[in-house]
Amino acid sequence: MRAPLCLLLLVAHAVDMLPLNRRKKQVGTGLGGNCTGCVICSEENGCSTCQQRLFLFIHREGIRQYGKCVHDCPPGYFGVRGQEVNRCKKCGATCESCFSQDFCIQCKRRFYLYKGKCLPTCPPGTAAQQSTRECQEECELGPWGSWSPCTHNGKTCGSAWGLETRAREAGRAGREEPAICQVLSESRQCPIRRPCPGESNASQKKSGKDRRPRKDRKLDGRGEGRPRPAPA
């Protein structure tokens, strides 16, 4: 009587342990693609412990969460290494990507990046750059440089008028790092009024060829060469 009862208890215990053994697996026991890199993996919740140097990324959908082991944390998350497990933590609410919880690399729309922070408006002394969504420190204009040679189509001769240009750089006041400010320039019209070397002689020769010799009429004392009156 006792033997069948013991056998029944063993079967019941095996049935109870089957879901647990199915949920928890170890590396090297036929892990699926969702458990790649895992040390402990659950079919319901994915990875809970990753191999060394991998990050545990917890993906949440509503009330459900699923773990995955990754080499690099996805955009919007940053990696934190710990003694037991390396985790991917989410960036701040205004960060598109970040280096740490307190240092953003790229901001979300309607925010500007300034010294690792994402701000709705740039602070005083800075200007918003729409292309990069960053706050750039305002520049201090330097003195104007000298005017460039007066040129027309790249030449300093052969035209009556040309253009000359001068520029001045804008640098950050009191900053050791190199300036990233724009360079301002202006141009103005200037007189050239001199031919290029060799053009004056060529023009003189050309004008000389175009001239035709003028035949002077020679009149003798009898009035030859004058028109004769018509007969009466």
Side-chain angles (χ1 to χ4, degrees):
M1 186 69 181
R2 292 182 179 180
L5 182 60
C6 293
L7 181 61
L8 182 62
L9 292 175
L10 288 174
V11 172
H13 180 70
V15 171
D16 292 339
M17 291 297 296
L18 182 61
L20 180 62
N21 293 332
R22 185 177 298 174
R23 285 195 299 266
K24 291 189 178 182
K25 301 177 181 180
Q26 299 296 323
V27 175
T29 58
L31 297 180
N34 293 333
C35 293
T36 303
C38 299
V39 175
I40 299 177
C41 182
S42 167
E43 290 185 355
E44 287 77 13
N45 298 322
C47 298
S48 59
T49 305
C50 297
Q51 296 179 9
Q52 191 177 8
R53 298 183 180 180
L54 296 182
F55 292 94
L56 178 61
F57 170 61
I58 302 297
H59 178 65
R60 291 179 174 85
E61 292 182 358
I63 61 175
R64 184 185 176 187
Q65 63 181 22
Y66 196 88
K68 185 179 180 180
C69 295
V70 296
H71 290 276
D72 298 303
C73 295
Y77 291 81
F78 65 97
V80 178
R81 297 193 178 275
Q83 294 181 354
E84 297 182 358
V85 61
N86 304 324
R87 297 182 180 274
C88 292
K89 290 191 175 182
K90 196 171 184 179
C91 299
T94 58
C95 289
E96 187 72 26
S97 61
C98 62
F99 181 76
S100 65
Q101 187 70 38
D102 300 323
F103 196 93
C104 294
I105 300 175
Q106 186 178 0
C107 299
K108 293 183 178 180
R109 293 183 59 185
R110 301 181 181 179
F111 291 91
Y112 297 91
L113 182 65
Y114 180 68
K115 295 184 177 180
K117 303 291 184 181
C118 292
L119 308 174
T121 57
C122 290
T126 63
Q129 300 296 317
Q130 298 297 334
S131 58
T132 59
R133 308 295 300 176
E134 296 180 1
C135 298
Q136 180 176 304
E137 294 184 355
E138 293 181 349
C139 302
E140 181 177 325
L141 298 178
W144 284 105
S146 303
W147 288 101
S148 67
C150 188
T151 59
H152 178 74
N153 292 334
K155 295 182 178 181
T156 58
C157 58
S159 180
W161 296 92
L163 286 178
E164 57 183 1
T165 306
R166 67 176 182 174
R168 62 175 174 178
E169 294 185 354
R172 295 177 179 176
R175 296 284 176 180
E176 296 180 358
E177 60 266 21
I180 316 177
C181 306
Q182 60 181 347
V183 177
L184 305 178
S185 63
E186 63 178 0
S187 301
R188 68 181 181 183
Q189 195 176 34
C190 53
I192 296 179
R193 295 179 183 175
R194 66 186 183 89
C196 293
E199 288 186 356
S200 58
N201 296 333
S203 60
Q204 289 178 1
K205 291 179 180 180
K206 185 177 180 182
S207 61
K209 291 180 180 180
D210 294 340
R211 292 180 182 176
R212 296 180 178 178
R214 185 177 59 183
K215 296 181 180 180
D216 296 333
R217 294 180 180 180
K218 295 182 180 180
L219 302 177
D220 55 11
R222 294 176 297 178
E224 293 181 3
R226 296 179 181 178
R228 295 179 180 181

